[in-house]
């Protein structure tokens, strides 16, 4: 077999090593345009998990790599004169040059031919090769040559960055967030061998311009960085090696394989440097390719197996990198945070590290985070314990005069079980049990302001006395038997009205017994949905009055809070999104105009709703569709509602149009809450695939939301909050009838938690840093 590998970076060399081991008879050649020891960059990082992989696949190169590596366990965050260190991270650093030289040595030893100073510009010269590996890096000539086939998407990120080195020793992966007269600069730094550290500097485009970095040569910009970070560099110089400022390209390729050619490493996909995964991804690609080649009967099948098997893992890493880079791009959002909360945000930015996880590794750090959170709550007038504070989830919150005992919320969820809009026994049990279960705040399902405002025939309403009496019964039960507050969500289905019950076909039009629908514009939801009537001014006045009427009935029923539903493509949302609003009057066109009617309805309700009671608005912070609402629009929308007197923005997303492409995942909507809260400076509630109390605490402690709503988890577990309270040892109100149950779970939780922590600590393999420390520790005197 003949294998040609274009590019002698980590991907190409490691693929050569693994394939040659697998097929000693194969003729494998690596073509590299540079000289053997001619390399850019300084250090590379690997996690312990990646090193485990290397150990498994090629022990000799693994041993050489680990002999050359610097280990560290801590991450240190420097911000506004403070430094917070968190241990247990298990990372290693190595010189990129050393890594490449030892991979070259190993490849040669196995019989791979390495041809340096050989620039390949045409794959035709490999016509007799069985496999051509395109490992030619981020600017891959071959990916671009076959651009129509590979279909790469290049997302050039807005921040500027430059890679430098220093002789400054470091004992931790170090983040320095530095305020300057021009704006914030960030250094990501780590040691990779004795006396050498990597320094990646990053800043936003405006700060870059203001700092006059545009047009400076390498040395001049190193001098400028040296001045900014001089206090930390401690007299050590910054070193350059092709250290030009650039914008990071996030690259994703639609296809990785063409005939017998396959993309590997940066050529196929990149991952932002802030999660230190570029070289890791490149070498793990080589592992995946070698695995596929070992098992498949033909090269063709192997390449398909490689692409299908590897794509999800690469996309997951890229997603984590995306989330992380967005955090760094918007670091100014958090600039006025308490430093410990800021450091918590840095640690948890990419979702892998959480509150509970940090509690195990760095309990002192988390205690400080809890204290800072409690201090903020105290600042709002609550007499909370500052010395041994409860976890953020169990800290109270005040909106106007309404106080909620904890931050867990039952998200609004239609039960499709009302008769002619009247909530019945099912609703009483549903809301009642969730209130007793401990949630601080309960939202009703979307309660419709008129018969024709309903989504389905099973939707609850609040437009007549019977419905009002039914809601009063539920509200009274909640107030009498729990400390939960209850918020009425009012909405109008718009063009998504007159549809079937969820279990009969979500959003599908009713075949019989439907009613006329209205919307901002006459656009059906599905092609076969009813075409809604475009609202005229008279219809707008009528519907506004319906909202006000229902709000007044809500007050009469005793609700503590009121939410206006402006999300998910329903009537008011249909005005806000440009995808559903094509009006040419003053309610269409720019966002300011599209917001006009929803704001009008909100203001009319606000005027009717008691001044001491809070109001929220639910928005879709993105339509997940081209040309639709984006996170930046959501900030404008939130500000507009804020000015109109909203107390909380309930940040949901999507459901506006059928062809949306949401990116689901754990806590997938939380970044929008983060953006709205910390840019528009309004209180927010986040929601969406948040399934554990650990996630709730992580979100709150990082300042990404003020309340956290859980929908589906509450459908199966009314006592979600009660159980979390037991786990975290936070006291919680419980009706006297259930006290023995509460006492038992609180008692058992102490033991369960201890067992869990012991198990986690025992089960955690030692990091290489710990193993090395143990191996070099002098034996204790007998
Ligand atoms: C300026 C810079 C500095 C970096 N520094 C670091 C760092 O310090 N730490 C870190 O972890 N990551 C660093 N990275 C990222 C890291 O290099 C990559 O994520 C990783 O090296 C990807 O490995 P690869 O083998 O896919 O690509 P590369 O390492 O880029 O290797 C591709 C190789 O192909 C060769 N090549 C390209 N075209 C041809 C051709 N037509 N013919 C022959 N040869 C060709 C190139 O010369 C190169 O050696 C840096 C990236 C850049 C751009
Ligand atoms: C059965 C069901 C009904 C829902 N009904 C409503 C509703 O009436 N109003 C609303 O704003 N959102 C509604 N939603 C959306 C939820 O409030 C929530 O935003 C969504 O389920 C994501 O949160 P989760 O991942 O915690 O379930 C509903 C969700 C479900 C599962």
């Amino acid at each position: 077999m003949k294998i040609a590998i274009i590019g002698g970076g980590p991907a190409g060399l490691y693929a050569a090593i693994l394939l040659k081991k697998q097929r000693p008879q194969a003729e494998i050649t690596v073509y590299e345009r540079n000289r053997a020891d001619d390399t850019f960059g300084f250090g590379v990082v690997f996690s312990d998990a990646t090193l485990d992989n290397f150990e498994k696949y090629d022990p000799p190169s693994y041993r050489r790599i680990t002999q050359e590596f610097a280990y560290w366990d801590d991450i240190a965050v420097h911000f506004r004169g403070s430094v917070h260190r968190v241990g247990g991270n298990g990372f290693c650093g190595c010189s990129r040059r050393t890594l490449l030289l030892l991979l070259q040595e190993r490849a040669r030893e196995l019989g791979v031919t390495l041809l340096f100073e050989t620039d390949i510009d045409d794959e035709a010269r490999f016509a007799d090769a069985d496999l051509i590996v395109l490992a030619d890096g981020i600017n891959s000539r071959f990916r671009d040559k076959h651009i129509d086939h590979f279909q790469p998407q290049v997302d050039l990120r807005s921040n500027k960055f430059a890679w430098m080195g220093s002789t400054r020793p470091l004992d931790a992966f170090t983040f320095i967030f530095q305020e300057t007269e021009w704006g914030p600069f960030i250094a990501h730094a780590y040691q990779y061998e004795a006396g050498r550290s990597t320094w990646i500097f990053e800043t936003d485009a405006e700060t870059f311009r203001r700092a006059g970095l545009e047009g400076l040569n390498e040395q001049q910009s190193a001098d400028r960085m040296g001045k900014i970070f001089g206090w930390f560099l401690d007299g050590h110089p910054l070193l350059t090696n092709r250290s030009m400022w650039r914008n990071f390209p996030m690259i994703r390729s639609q296809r990785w394989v063409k005939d017998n050619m396959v993309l590997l490493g940066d050529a196929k996909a990149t991952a932002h440097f802030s999660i230190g995964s570029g070289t890791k991804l490149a070498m793990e690609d080589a592992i995946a390719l070698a695995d596929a080649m070992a098992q498949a009967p033909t090269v063709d099948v192997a390449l398909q197996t490689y692409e299908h098997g590897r794509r999800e893992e690469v996309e997951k890493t890229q997603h984590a990198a995306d989330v992380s880079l967005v955090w760094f791009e918007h670091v100014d959002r958090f600039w006025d945070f308490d430093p410990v909360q800021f450091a918590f945000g840095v640690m948890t930015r990419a979702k892998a590290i959480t509150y509970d996880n940090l509690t195990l590794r760095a309990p002192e750090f988390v205690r400080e985070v809890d204290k800072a959170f409690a201090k903020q709550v105290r600042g709002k007038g609550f007499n909370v314990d500052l010395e041994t504070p409860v976890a953020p989830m169990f800290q109270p919150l005040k909106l106007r005069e309404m106080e909620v005992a904890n931050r867990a919320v039952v998200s609004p969820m239609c039960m499709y079980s009302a008769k002619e809009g009247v909530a019945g026994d099912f609703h009483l049990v549903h809301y009642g049990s969730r209130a007793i279960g401990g949630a601080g705040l309960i939202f009703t399902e979307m309660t419709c302001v008129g018969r024709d405002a309903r989504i389905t025939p099973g939707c609850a309403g609040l437009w007549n006395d019977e419905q009002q009496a039914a809601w009063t019964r539920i509200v009274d039960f909640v107030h009498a038997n729990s400390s939960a507050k209850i918020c009425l969500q009012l909405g109008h289905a718009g063009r998504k009205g007159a549809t079937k019950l969820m279990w009969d076909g979500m959003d599908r039009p009713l075949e019989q017994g439907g009613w006329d629908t209205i919307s901002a514009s006459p656009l059906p939801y599905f092609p076969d949905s009813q075409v809604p009537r475009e609202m005229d001014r008279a219809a707008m006045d009528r519907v506004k009055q319906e909202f006000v009427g229902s709000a007044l009935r809500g007050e009469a029923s005793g609700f503590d809070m009121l939410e206006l539903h402006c999300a998910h493509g329903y009537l008011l949302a249909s005005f806000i999104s440009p995808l559903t609003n094509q009006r040419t009057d003053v309610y269409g066109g720019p966002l300011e105009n599209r917001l006009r009617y929803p704001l009008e309805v909100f203001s009319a309700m606000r005027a009717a709703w008691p001044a001491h009671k809070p109001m929220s608005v639910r928005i879709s912070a993105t339509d997940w569709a081209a040309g639709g609402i984006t996170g930046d629009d959501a900030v404008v929308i939130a500000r507009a509602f804020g000015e109109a007197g909203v107390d909380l923005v309930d940040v949901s997303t999507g459901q506006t149009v059928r062809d949306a492409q949401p990116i689901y995942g754990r806590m997938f909507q939380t970044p929008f809450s983060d953006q709205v809260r910390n840019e528009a400076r309004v209180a927010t509630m986040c929601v969406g695939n948040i399934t554990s109390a650990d996630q709730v605490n992580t979100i709150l402690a990082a300042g990404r939301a003020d309340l956290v709503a859980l929908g589906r988890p509450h459908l199966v577990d009314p006592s979600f909050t009660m159980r979390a309270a037991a786990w975290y040892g936070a006291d919680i109100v419980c009706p006297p009838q259930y006290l023995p149950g509460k006492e038992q779970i609180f008692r058992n939780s102490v033991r369960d938690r201890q067992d869990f922590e012991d198990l986690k600590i025992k089960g955690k393999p030692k990091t290489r840093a710990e193993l090395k420390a143990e191996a070099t520790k002098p034996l204790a005197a007998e």
Side-chain angles (χ1 to χ4, degrees), residues 411-414 446 489 565 568 618 687-689 710-713:
S411 202
M413 281 180 290
C414 278
M446 178 169 124
Q489 186 189 60
H565 199 331
H568 302 169
R618 180 165 259 207
V687 64
N689 219 1
L710 300 96
R712 289 164 295 171

Side-chain angles (χ1 to χ4, degrees), residues 129-357:
D130 301 280
L131 170 65
I132 305 172
V133 178
L134 307 175
D136 53 344
I138 206 160
N139 298 317
S140 171
R141 180 182 290 164
F142 291 92
R143 181 191 66 218
D144 290 348
K145 186 172 170 190
H146 301 287
I147 197 162
D148 290 342
H149 179 83
F150 291 123
Q151 296 181 37
Q153 288 169 8
V154 182
D155 173 13
L156 208 56
R157 302 306 308 187
S158 59
N159 269 8
K160 292 278 183 188
F161 79 98
W163 231 294
M164 298 190 193
S166 176
T167 53
R168 166 74 155 94
L170 296 167
D171 61 355
F173 192 112
T174 303
F175 290 110
I176 308 173
F177 296 88
Q178 185 67 44
E179 179 73 62
T180 70
E181 60 191 280
W182 308 291
F185 276 86
I186 307 164
H188 311 233
Y190 57 90
Q191 184 159 333
Y192 58 88
E193 62 183 28
R196 281 286 187 281
S197 45
T198 295
W199 285 71
I200 306 163
F201 296 108
E202 182 179 8
T203 191
D204 62 89
E206 267 306 292
T207 304
F208 182 80
R209 192 188 52 75
R210 280 195 295 265
L213 284 158
E214 196 83 64
L216 295 192
N217 66 26
E218 265 182 292
Q219 195 49 51
Q220 289 166 325
S221 74
D223 291 346
R224 179 67 52 86
M225 289 301 107
K227 280 212 181 72
I228 294 175
F229 292 92
W231 64 273
F232 187 87
L233 284 163
D234 207 16
H236 288 271
L238 284 176
L239 315 169
T240 58
N241 179 358
R242 297 206 213 161
S243 304
M244 275 77 71
W245 288 89
R246 61 189 79 203
N247 296 77
F248 189 83
M250 264 320 264
I251 297 175
R252 294 177 158 84
S253 301
Q254 196 66 32
R255 294 205 188 97
W256 298 355
V257 175
K258 181 176 190 306
D259 308 324
N260 64 341
M261 293 193 291
V262 59
L263 291 170
L264 227 61
D266 273 6
K268 122 205 144 288
T270 57
H272 191 248
F273 52 81
S274 64
I275 63 163
S277 294
T279 309
K280 161 203 147 80
L281 270 188
M283 291 175 69
E284 288 179 347
D285 281 352
I287 290 176
L289 177 65
D291 271 351
M293 286 288 288
Q295 283 151 22
T298 63
V299 169
D300 212 28
V301 175
L303 297 190
Q304 298 307 327
T305 308
Y306 158 73
E307 175 162 354
H308 290 133
R310 178 89 179 120
R311 190 173 275 281
E312 190 182 332
E313 188 56 35
V314 169
E315 286 178 355
K316 263 190 350 215
T317 307
Q318 286 196 296
H319 179 63
D322 271 354
V323 175
S324 173
L325 75 84
V326 167
W327 193 93
F328 283 101
E329 283 175 355
H330 297 287
V331 70
D332 54 327
R333 281 184 199 158
F334 317 106
W335 216 253
D336 61 355
F337 272 29
D338 182 293
V340 72
Q341 191 178 21
F342 182 93
F344 185 85
V346 178
M347 293 301 303
T348 56
R349 69 189 186 280
K351 298 200 282 196
I353 297 175
T354 65
Y355 180 90
D356 280 2
N357 181 280

Side-chain angles (χ1 to χ4, degrees), residues 651 665-670 686-690 709-712:
V651 185
R666 275 172 299 157
M667 307 181 272
F668 74 108
Q669 296 175 154
T670 302
C686 67
V687 64
N689 219 1
I690 298 161
L710 300 96
R712 289 164 295 171

